[in-house]
Amino acid sequence: MATSPPASASAVGISVPRTDGPPKVTGASRYVDDIPAMPGEIFGRTVRSPVPRGILRGVRFDPAFDWSDVTVVLAEDVPVNVVALILDDQPILGTGKVNHAYEPIALLGCADRLKLARAVQAVTLDIDPLPPVLDARDALEGKEIIWGTDNVLKRYLITKGRADAEQGRAEAAIDAALARCDVVVTGTYASHHQEQLYIEPQGVIAWWDEAGAHATGSIQCPFYVQKAFLKAFGLPPDQIHVTQSVTGGGFGGKEEYPSIIALHAALLAKKSGRPVRMIYDRTEDIEATTKRHPAFCEITSGCDRDGTLRALKTRILMDGGAYATLTQVVLSRGALHAAGAYRWDDVWIEATAVATSTPPNGAFRGFGAPQTIWAIERHLDRVARELGCDPLDLKAKNVLRPGDATATGQVLRESVAGEQCIAKAIAASGYRQKRAAGPVVRGRVARGVGLSVFMHGAGFTGSGERYYKGKVALDLAPGGRLRIRTASTDIGQGTETVFRQIAAAAAGLPIDRVEFAVPCTTTVPDSGPTVASRTVMVVGSILEAAARELSGRVREEQEAARQQGAAQEGQEGAAPALTFEEAADRLLAREGQVTSLKQYEPPGYVRWDDEAYKGDAYPCFGWACDVAEVEVDLDTFEVTVVDFWSATDVGKAIHPVMCKGQIEGGSLQAIGWALSEEIVWQGGKIRNPRMTNYIIPTSLDAPPFHVVLVEEPFPFGPGGGAKGIGEMPMDGGAPAIAAAVEHATGIAARALPLTPERLFEAARGAAAPRQAAGGGDRA
């Protein structure tokens, strides 16, 4: 008889059917608002500030309204009125001061939804308005102080070369290095708010019982919510039960914000003694939740006449909104990617984030890197124009290679694929031929092509993984099955499927023998948050180790049984062997529970100095080259992306189809950021909080995507070298499209989004000097 399961090909590298596919396409999956009502359940709503800044004098309730069956929660009802995150600066409910429009002030609960909506209108907030600070540059000037002593949420300084050697005179040293360069170029580049616009709005159901507090909802990071409950309610961890329901997208928007809606629902549930369901409508979701940080980047670079890059000086200013949330780590990642995927001898990067009187900004796919990669890519396009060369030649000449050092002094040892990605993208797209042919103009439509080259750090920055010590548990279940217990959530990206593949391949089992437990803070270990392109590379690697250990124990049981049987029968090898299933059941019968609990340890060579901000910023980087081909209507200035290529280094594709899906989806999101998505602000309030006027690209707007998967394995990644890819596709689309628009029209855009109105104004501004000199307007 066989002593192990039937031999089968490894599940890794195969695009198996998604395990969560059938219930989602048949409607069997229960998102939070699909969960049946609990006995006595009521609905919750939030009363929010209508002004961006002011002094809250009081909350008035219309005496003519029947409040008898309405639960009311105010700041004085909150045990500890702070949302625990990195800095304890954000109240759960506003009191004393209002710091942004839509700030939550009061909570209402009622079983009657219609009456609840009327109750919200029956509340009046007495607020004395104060002058808001609505621009990051005004905040940095500090004429109005709205946060701390100077409005500065966080600062970082990264230096390399002469700027590093001249401690105390770093800026003077970089200026001197620039002065020695043959070609010096300066430019300023801006990017804007972006709404995550996940298909399922924020939602949670909360209740209390003898076991403690419960919150079930659309959640990306359950242990973030647990941390918020620990602070607000003073409960021990085993009395806080945060469970993820099936989640319809997140993109970072459900990283930290669910702590707020869960706290609100739990406060209403505690006061009312009844379960509370809070589900935002689309308007409230867009108005109240976090966005991508706007950024301003001022870059001065120096290079030789032959295009060899030498010196880089960059100032980054990010708008954090009214509270810190995750701004300091978003700023960090932005700063660490500000030098791009290129070699520089001398570097000086100063990154600053400030508070403004707008809703707090937070996590969004790419996490600060898209803003600074936009800037450095557009800047190098401008440098190439100064040199009279194609941007491809400038970027390919200077792209980082094995043995080179990044801006933080990190020596790139392995899994460095910039050159490969460039070569494959250029070959696939026909970029050189299209650029050489010049812009193709047919009637009043011009076609152009452009590219971007970029890298993205996988995993937490610096010492982050050592700090978090992410864990995963794998249980042996009856019949030789494995059960994965992890806080790494599936929010649509396919974690459940990929983790099953990794565990099955490592254990030598069919994938249908692996189960995935629902993430709940009282039943799964803290794997760290589902962020930073770390799920597969970091958590997947320890899951792989756990699967090998657990299957090894079962096979040891098989061998022990074989030897025992042979001894009893008196002849070696004559005893019938146990199957894997039988050996697993025997092991379980003897030990009761068999679990492998693994904790992540970064590769030993990773060394990071938080004080100096130097060293190995990430265990490894993903690499990519995007090529966009566009058509621009020369009358309306509408831009259509007609083709898009991406050569992306994934290390090892665990599930090739889902890898390509991540890249296509992220690239389409980047196209939206580049061309159409724009928050319209007026007096600190959002004027387009609907899907009808906040315009995202749909499948009808998607160009043909051509994805080339480059596999340059990371030795410490699972499945033979997988790296993180979730964030990286957001980085390159916007600069590639802007370069293509420039090729087509000559308009060198330096601010996003590239709406027809903005391009028209840019073309008109560029035309004026030419017309004054007797030239014509090309557009």
Side-chain angles (χ1 to χ4, degrees), residues 325-347:
T325 66
L326 298 171
T327 291
Q328 69 182 51
V329 280
V330 172
L331 182 69
S332 166
R333 188 166 282 246
L336 290 166
H337 289 79
Y342 307 105
R343 293 186 304 275
W344 302 91
D345 298 328
D346 301 294
V347 175

Side-chain angles (χ1 to χ4, degrees), residues 689-767:
R690 290 171 292 280
M691 294 183 77
T692 53
N693 51 18
Y694 180 84
I695 307 301
I696 64 168
T698 69
S699 58
L700 297 178
D701 305 300
F705 286 108
H706 313 277
V707 176
V708 180
L709 296 180
V710 178
E711 293 185 313
E712 183 65 31
F714 173 53
F716 299 90
K723 298 193 281 194
I725 62 166
E727 296 177 293
M728 190 163 51
M730 189 72 221
D731 294 340
I737 290 166
V741 169
E742 181 176 355
H743 183 229
T745 67
I747 300 170
R750 291 187 282 169
L752 292 171
L754 308 178
T755 58
E757 296 85 353
R758 291 172 186 269
L759 291 175
F760 172 74
E761 290 297 327
R764 188 166 65 174

